[in-house]
Amino acid sequence: MHVGRPVVRALRAMVFAAACVLVSAALHALAGGGVVPPHTLAAAMALAWIAAYLAGGRQRGMSTLLGACFAAQYGMHHLFAAGAGVAAPQVAGHDHGGGLGMLLVHAAAAAGSAWWLERGDSALATMLRLAVTSLGRLWTGLLILAGALVDAGFPGRAPVSHGAERRRVVLFAAVVSRRGPPVPLSVR
């Protein structure tokens, strides 16, 4: 299974959106930006999910995720500022968009989210590869076991003819190891 499959891609996009939006909203409120209204959170979540789904066709590295998180934080800062203007009264002397503290909060949220998402994305890709490899080996083992059970001569089964056994031997003889130097033609 690949991380770009639609279901896995949608789940990865949901995690990206939740990480970026919820962390950003919490830190935005703590930095003095006011509580973000639910409809603004929902809009930010939908926009982040769409962007993450479109970019999630394959596993992304830290540099790509860092850029995406910074862009998301920049957009959410402006979205939250517009939404918080209605929900929270402005404190006298507080310029919502221009403070160094707000910039640092969003930058920290972007860096933390990118790091967390990159680690999670790598872990998910590793787990999917291991699951697919394990299932492939399990399937191969079941096929070998089924072949051995048929050869054991279950009651009601016809004994395996030498033709079927020869086909199985030919199947395994087709696997050739290519390690080491080439065999001289006189030995073949």
Side-chain angles (χ1 to χ4, degrees), residues 58-131:
R58 63 182 177 87
Q59 188 177 353
R60 304 294 178 176
M62 182 63 164
S63 59
T64 304
L65 285 172
L66 194 57
C69 286
F70 272 112
Q73 290 299 321
Y74 180 77
M76 280 186 276
H77 171 72
H78 290 291
L79 185 65
F80 293 165
V86 176
Q90 291 294 324
V91 178
H94 174 70
D95 179 23
H96 179 78
L100 179 62
M102 190 64 73
L103 174 68
L104 291 176
V105 163
H106 283 290
S113 296
W115 178 81
W116 183 73
L117 289 167
E118 194 274 330
R119 299 306 317 143
D121 209 25
S122 295
L124 176 65
T126 301
M127 287 182 356
L128 288 174
R129 277 193 297 274
L130 289 174

